[in-house]
Amino acid sequence: MIRPEDDLLHRGSDHPHWNESAWFGFTVPERTITGWVYFYHRPNMNFTIGGVALWDPSGENTWNCLHYDWGNPQAMAPDAEMYDFSLDNGLSVHCRKPLEAFDLNFKGEGCELAMTWDAVNEPQSAARPGGSMPSGSDDFGKGHYNQGGRMRGTIALVGSSNTEHIDVDCFYARDHSWGPRNFTNNPRGDFASAMASERSGFCILAASDQPRATDPCVGVPDPVLFGWY
C-alpha cells in the first residue's frame, strides 16, 4: 500500500547507491509534442540530477529535439525533500499535497515551463503483497508506484527572434521509485502507459525473461510484471 509519506525521501539507508527518482510525462497533441520532467536524488552521494525534455517530429535526439536539459549532477541542498527542491539549472518542484498535487517549474536557456499535476486516481504499487518487487526488477529498487493525473500549464520556447507559447492540458502518469539502484542484473524492459481521460488509462511494466547475452530483443513476447487499467 502506498502512503502519503512515500512521497518523502525514504531515509535510513547508508547504501551509497540509494536512489529516489520521479518522472512526470505530458503531451500536446495539437502540436505533436511529448515531454517529461524527470529527476532523481542520491542523498548518500549528495547530488541531484533533474531537468526537462521536449520533442516533436522535427527531432527526437538530445541534440536536435525542441529542448533538452538533463544529466548534470548538482549538489543536493541540505533541506531538499523528494518533491520540494530547486536546482541551479532552473528546475524547481513543490508538493502541494502528497499523492495528490505538485507544481513543476523550469526556467532555462531557450525554454520555460510552468505546470501543475493533480492526481485523478490512486497510486498503484508495483510491489507484491509484503513489499517485494516482482522478479526481474530486483535491481530497480525497493519500491515503485505509478499514478494517473492531469497536467496543466504553459511552455515557452524562446527563440532568437520570437517566443512560442504553448498551452498544456493533458492526462498523463507519474512515477516514483526508491531503493538501491545498481543495474547489475536488470533485464531489458520498460513501462508503457497512456491516458485518455480520468476513467480510461493504463500502465504496464513488461520485461524480457531472456538472458542479456542472447536476448533477440525483436519478435519475442515480454512477460508483464505489473500493470493497471
Side-chain angles (χ1 to χ4, degrees), residues 99-110:
L99 302 183
E100 293 190 25
F102 302 87
D103 297 329
L104 307 165
N105 291 279
F106 177 78
K107 189 171 184 179
E109 183 177 353

Side-chain angles (χ1 to χ4, degrees), residues 20-220:
E20 301 249 3
S21 65
W23 178 90
F24 293 83
F26 58 88
T27 186
V28 186
E30 61 273 17
R31 181 61 173 73
T32 328
I33 289 175
T34 305
W36 47 248
V37 176
Y38 175 45
F39 51 91
Y40 68 83
H41 306 288
R42 292 289 178 95
N44 295 332
M45 302 176 77
N46 198 36
F47 75 83
T48 295
I49 288 179
V52 305
L54 299 168
W55 63 95
D56 67 5
S58 67
E60 59 183 10
N61 297 293
T62 59
W63 50 270
N64 69 357
C65 64
L66 292 177
H67 191 79
Y68 186 88
D69 187 339
W70 192 89
N72 293 320
Q74 299 172 66
M76 186 174 177
D79 61 348
E81 252 301 346
M82 183 64 219
Y83 294 100
D84 280 288
F85 66 92
S86 297
L87 300 180
D88 289 342
N89 70 345
L91 177 67
S92 64
V93 177
H94 172 62
C95 175
R96 285 181 279 125
K97 187 174 182 180
L99 302 183
E100 293 190 25
F102 302 87
D103 297 329
L104 307 165
N105 291 279
F106 177 78
K107 189 171 184 179
E109 183 177 353
C111 178
E112 297 180 9
L113 177 153
M115 295 189 188
T116 61
W117 187 96
D118 295 280
V120 299
N121 59 27
E122 296 296 319
Q124 302 297 317
S125 174
R128 296 191 185 98
S132 64
M133 292 291 284
S135 176
S137 61
D138 296 336
D139 286 352
F140 196 69
K142 287 185 172 295
H144 179 92
Y145 62 82
N146 293 67
Q147 183 178 21
R150 187 171 185 174
M151 185 80 87
R152 284 176 279 201
T154 59
I155 299 168
L157 294 175
V158 183
S160 57
S161 59
N162 69 296
T163 299
E164 181 182 8
H165 295 276
I166 302 166
D167 292 327
V168 178
D169 188 351
C170 68
F171 294 96
Y172 224 108
R174 73 168 182 123
D175 72 12
H176 180 197
S177 301
W178 62 93
R181 183 68 64 91
N182 296 315
F183 284 127
T184 56
N185 298 307
N186 250 27
R188 171 184 54 79
D190 205 354
F191 285 95
S193 66
M195 292 194 66
S197 70
E198 294 183 7
R199 297 180 57 82
S200 180
F202 73 89
C203 177
I204 60 170
L205 167 61
S208 173
D209 57 2
Q210 306 289 321
R212 281 187 176 187
T214 57
D215 185 355
C217 298
V218 177
V220 291

